[in-house]
Amino acid sequence: MLSSVCCSAIFPPYQTLYLQCTVIPGNLKQIDAGAGQVYGVNNDDNIYQWVDQNWKLIPGKLIHVSVGPAGVWGVNRANNIYKLQDGNWVAVNGLLKQIDAGGDKFLSGANAWDAIYCLSQDQTISRSVVFAYTQLEGALKYYSCGPYGCWGVNSANNIYYRYDVKPTSCRGSRWQQIQGSLVMVEVGTDGSVYGVNAQGNVYKREGISARNPIGTSWTMTDFCGTFRHVSYDDGNLWLLTTNGNIYKCKVNGSVVPTL
């Protein structure tokens, strides 16, 4: 049975954005929303897809799954990489611990040693299982991409933005450190950026646009509880609490004054 709660995101100094959140049955350790789809994995590495208001079990075992313009990809406990092709998981070369399909049909991710890799669009759209990955300089534990570039966090929870990432040239040009501290960051299909810090607080990056892809500031959402994972797509914010409970929050952009 679904239940609803009201939450709010505080916009200093005088405004509050109210969110209508629904508690979704189930328990997950990671979730990803993109291109109108939602996937997740639980503590037993079982894979689920949100279909018709229910979780559908997908055959296979993964620790991290991602869905977006590049398709559906995942990695298992051995860091082997898989892509969902014709309804089946197909093993491809390479090793990653975290993977992201949110770029414009290009892929990105980080391996067990925090090395950063990407696959350009011409490779992800092919049916090949052998790819030539591009390695980026630097080290990140989490790396996520969208239409306005890529964001990542390193082992010290520092936040970085990658400039000039393109579908045909996923390497990009340079890093810029962004103020703040996050343990994970996710970029939505529309370019929205959300993250979670070490205390379990959820943040949204404000002011992002094609002309200003790094945005202007972070807004902390005022939820009752702490979270470990966040993902956003199609007006919905998907959240996992520290014990794996699932929240789906409608983000409607309605801002009202705070008394």
Side-chain angles (χ1 to χ4, degrees), residues 9-219:
I10 298 176
F11 285 69
Y14 303 115
Q15 301 181 90
T16 300
L17 173 67
Y18 289 95
L19 308 176
Q20 185 66 36
C21 297
T22 301
V23 180
I24 302 295
N27 193 278
L28 297 173
K29 65 178 177 181
Q30 184 259 330
I31 194 167
D32 194 69
Q37 301 181 74
V38 181
Y39 282 79
V41 295
N42 68 8
N43 287 325
D44 296 321
D45 301 350
N46 294 319
I47 312 158
Y48 294 90
Q49 181 185 11
W50 184 247
V51 180
D52 296 329
Q53 304 300 305
N54 286 291
W55 291 111
K56 175 185 176 183
L57 181 63
I58 305 297
K61 293 283 187 178
L62 296 174
I63 63 168
H64 196 278
V65 64
S66 184
V67 56
V72 184
W73 296 69
V75 296
N76 66 10
R77 286 189 180 270
N79 292 342
N80 301 124
I81 305 169
Y82 294 85
K83 64 176 178 178
L84 193 61
Q85 189 169 284
D86 300 328
N88 298 304
W89 293 110
V90 177
V92 305
N93 68 309
L95 296 170
L96 293 173
K97 67 176 178 182
Q98 176 263 329
I99 198 164
D100 188 85
D104 186 6
K105 297 186 179 178
F106 67 90
L107 194 74
S108 57
N111 73 6
W113 299 275
D114 292 353
I116 314 156
Y117 292 91
C118 66
L119 277 178
S120 293
Q121 184 185 89
D122 60 334
Q123 297 194 74
T124 62
I125 64 175
S126 75
R127 297 182 69 84
S128 175
V129 296
V130 178
F131 299 119
Y133 293 88
T134 298
Q135 184 173 358
L136 285 64
E137 76 278 8
L140 296 175
K141 64 179 178 180
Y142 207 101
Y143 189 51
S144 181
C145 296
Y148 303 137
C150 300
W151 294 68
V153 294
N154 65 10
S155 59
N157 297 337
N158 298 317
I159 309 165
Y160 291 89
Y161 172 80
R162 186 70 173 178
Y163 280 94
D164 302 319
V165 176
K166 301 176 182 178
T168 55
S169 179
C170 63
R171 180 181 175 84
S173 61
R174 62 185 175 93
W175 296 107
Q176 178 172 331
Q177 185 172 351
I178 306 297
Q179 180 198 18
S181 176
L182 296 173
V183 296
M184 62 84 61
V185 63
E186 277 285 343
V187 185
T189 305
D190 66 351
S192 299
V193 176
Y194 287 86
V196 178
N197 71 2
Q199 291 72 45
N201 300 313
V202 178
Y203 287 83
K204 178 188 178 184
R205 188 68 177 176
E206 299 296 334
I208 290 177
S209 67
R211 296 183 64 179
N212 184 28
I214 64 170
T216 55
S217 61
W218 294 104
T219 294

Side-chain angles (χ1 to χ4, degrees), residues 23 26-31 200 223-230 238-247:
V23 180
N27 193 278
L28 297 173
K29 65 178 177 181
Q30 184 259 330
I31 194 167
F223 287 104
C224 298
T226 55
F227 299 86
R228 65 180 180 186
H229 208 91
V230 61
W238 294 82
L239 297 149
L240 300 181
T241 66
T242 51
N243 60 4
N245 294 328
I246 308 162
Y247 283 72

